Amino acid sequence: MRRVPGTVIALGAVSLVTDISSEMVTAVLPLYFVLGLGLTPLQFGFLDGLFNGVTALVRLAGGHAADRGGRHKRVAGAGYALSACSRLGLLLAGGATGGIAATLAADRIGKGIRTAPRDAMITLSSPPETLGRAFGVHRAMDTTGALLGPLAAFGLLWATADAYDAVFVVSFCTGLLGVVLLALLVPGHFSLPAAGPAPTPALSPAAGRGSVFEPLRAPAFRRILAAAALLGAATIGDAFVYLLLQRRLDVGVVWFPLLPLGAAAVYLLLAVPAGRLADRVGRRVPFLCGHGALLAAYLLLLTPINGTVVLALVLILVGAFYASTDGVLMAFAGPLLPAARRASGLALLQTGQAVARLIAAAGFGAAWTLWGPRPALAAAATAMLTALVLARAALPRTEQERQAP
C-alpha cells in the first residue's frame, strides 16, 4: 500500500463507498426477478445482459469526453452522480418491472460513463511497471464495497421485515457520499509519473485528436480487444452461476443475497497478489489463468459433487477469476495507449467485453429455457475452452515473457 499513489487510494475509497450502494440493490435482483416477479431464465438473461450491454455507446462517449481536455474527474463524477440518483428511481418504480428496468439501466449508464475515466486516472497516476499492483489495490478496495453491500442489504431487510424501500434510501445516501469523496479527494489533472521507463505507446500522442476508434489502429491493442471479446462471449455471468448454485443446493431464499460474498471475499484476498504477479511475469498469463478458473467453475457445476464442497470451490474459482482478469486487463492495455487517448481506448475495450457478455447472457438464458440448465452449462464450458485456445494465440506476448529463458 505504501508504494501506491494517493490518487489510487482516493479512487479506491470512492469505489468502495459506491459499490456498497450499488451492491445493496443488485445482490437481491436475480432472486427478485426470477422468484419474485416470475421471469423465465430467458427473460432474466436478456435483462441481465441488457444492464451490462446498455452501457456500450455510453462507455465510448464517456471515454471520448474524458480525453477531451483531460476532463476525467468531471466525467467520472457525472457517472457516479447518475448511479446514485437512480436509487430514487427504484423508490418511484414500486413493483413495476419496466420502471425497475429503466432505473437499473440508468445505474448501468452511470457506471458506463465513469469506469473508463476512472481507470484512465489510475493509469495516469501510476508508473507503468506497477500498474498491476495499483489496479490490484483499487480492485481490492472496490471489492470491499461489494462485500459489504449485500451484508448491508441483508441486515436492512432482516431489521425492517423485508422493507425494500429502506434498502433503496440507504443505497442512495451511500452513493451520494461517494460523489462527495470524489470531489474532495481526487485531483482534477494528471501527469504520468516519471518513475521507471514507460513502454513505447502503440499510438502517437497526436492520436488524441482522432476519433473514438483511433486506438484500433494499434495492432497489439486490437489483439487484446479481440481476445477479451472472445472470452466475454463465453462468460455466462455471475447471476446465472448463483442461480445454478441455488437450484442445485436448494439455498434458502433469505440466504441467496449472501452467495456473492464468498466470491467477493476471495477477490478481495487475491486482487493485490494477482496484480503484483502480473507486474512480475507479464499480464497475459494471469489473464488467461483467470478465465481458466472460471472454466473450472463451470465444469465443477457439471459434476455430481454436492454440498458445501461445491459451493465453496465454485465461489473460490469465481473470485480468483475476477482477481486475475479485471484490473489485470486494464493494466495490460493501458500502457499501449497514449495519455491523450487512454480513456477512449479503455472504454473501447470495456465496451467490447460488455457487448460480448450481453450476447453470452442472452444466449445462455435461451439455452437454459430450451434445453435445461445442464446442457446449457455444458455448451458454455465448451465455448469457454474454445475461447481460451483462441485468446492464447491472439494475445500479444509481454516483455516479461519475451525475456524469460
Side-chain angles (χ1 to χ4, degrees):
M1 295 284 284
R2 294 193 304 269
R3 300 175 61 182
V4 175
T7 298
V8 175
I9 302 298
L11 287 168
V14 173
S15 293
L16 187 156
V17 172
T18 302
D19 251 33
I20 291 176
S21 171
S22 62
E23 292 301 323
M24 286 177 65
V25 175
T26 58
V28 299
L29 288 183
L31 196 64
Y32 183 63
F33 276 127
V34 175
L35 298 184
L37 299 180
L39 270 65
T40 67
L42 175 59
Q43 291 171 316
F44 174 72
F46 177 77
L47 286 175
D48 184 57
L50 178 63
F51 295 149
N52 291 286
V54 74
T55 63
L57 294 178
V58 178
R59 286 178 191 267
L60 296 177
H64 188 63
D67 281 335
R68 297 188 63 178
R71 297 180 296 182
H72 301 86
K73 178 179 176 178
R74 276 184 283 175
V75 174
Y80 281 112
L82 178 59
S83 291
C85 291
S86 71
R87 310 291 184 256
L88 296 179
L90 289 170
L91 288 172
L92 300 175
T97 306
I100 292 174
T103 55
L104 291 176
D107 174 52
R108 293 303 181 182
I109 289 172
K111 183 175 182 179
I113 291 173
R114 72 180 184 252
T115 302
R118 180 204 65 198
D119 286 350
M121 286 190 281
I122 294 174
T123 66
L124 292 172
S125 61
S126 306
E129 67 273 13
T130 64
L131 272 178
R133 180 187 291 110
F135 273 103
V137 169
H138 175 269
R139 295 311 197 248
M141 297 180 71
D142 183 272
T143 306
T144 300
L147 191 66
L148 295 175
L151 282 174
F154 177 79
L156 280 170
L157 290 176
W158 179 79
T160 60
D162 295 340
Y164 283 90
D165 286 358
V167 175
F168 300 153
V169 170
V170 174
S171 175
F172 166 71
C173 295
T174 308
L176 202 59
L177 175 60
V179 178
V180 173
L181 290 176
L182 178 74
L184 296 178
L185 301 180
V186 178
H189 298 281
F190 299 87
S191 59
L192 195 64
T200 302
L203 298 173
S204 68
R209 297 189 293 269
S211 72
V212 70
F213 299 105
E214 185 74 20
L216 292 176
R217 292 176 54 191
F221 179 78
R222 285 202 307 269
R223 293 169 66 182
I224 292 175
L225 174 59
L230 275 171
L231 292 165
T235 303
I236 66 174
D238 299 351
F240 278 121
V241 172
Y242 300 142
L243 283 173
L244 287 166
L245 283 172
Q246 192 273 335
R247 287 170 178 251
R248 177 167 176 171
L249 303 178
D250 196 24
V251 176
V253 170
V254 70
W255 300 108
F256 183 83
L258 300 182
L259 283 180
L261 296 184
V266 175
Y267 188 3
L268 174 62
L269 292 174
L270 296 183
V272 175
R276 297 179 66 179
L277 178 65
D279 287 338
R280 289 200 303 267
V281 305
R283 285 132 197 177
R284 176 175 173 267
V285 173
F287 182 68
L288 291 172
C289 289
H291 285 88
L294 189 61
L295 172 60
Y298 295 169
L299 294 175
L300 189 60
L301 286 169
L302 290 170
T303 67
I305 304 174
N306 279 308
T308 56
V309 173
V310 70
L311 175 65
L313 288 177
V314 167
L315 295 181
I316 288 171
L317 289 167
V318 171
F321 158 68
Y322 279 110
S324 303
T325 59
D326 187 14
V328 170
L329 178 60
M330 298 299 105
F332 196 176
L336 299 175
L337 300 162
R341 300 303 296 163
R342 192 68 55 87
S344 295
L346 295 182
L348 200 58
L349 181 58
Q350 293 160 1
T351 296
Q353 280 192 312
V355 172
R357 288 177 178 178
L358 167 61
I359 296 171
F364 184 79
W368 184 334
T369 302
L370 295 174
W371 306 335
R374 283 187 62 83
L377 187 58
T382 302
M384 177 60 75
L385 179 60
T386 304
L388 270 171
V389 173
L390 295 175
R392 184 178 183 275
L395 285 172
R397 293 175 64 85
T398 60
E399 187 65 26
Q400 293 92 332
E401 290 178 289
R402 287 192 292 267
Q403 292 177 355

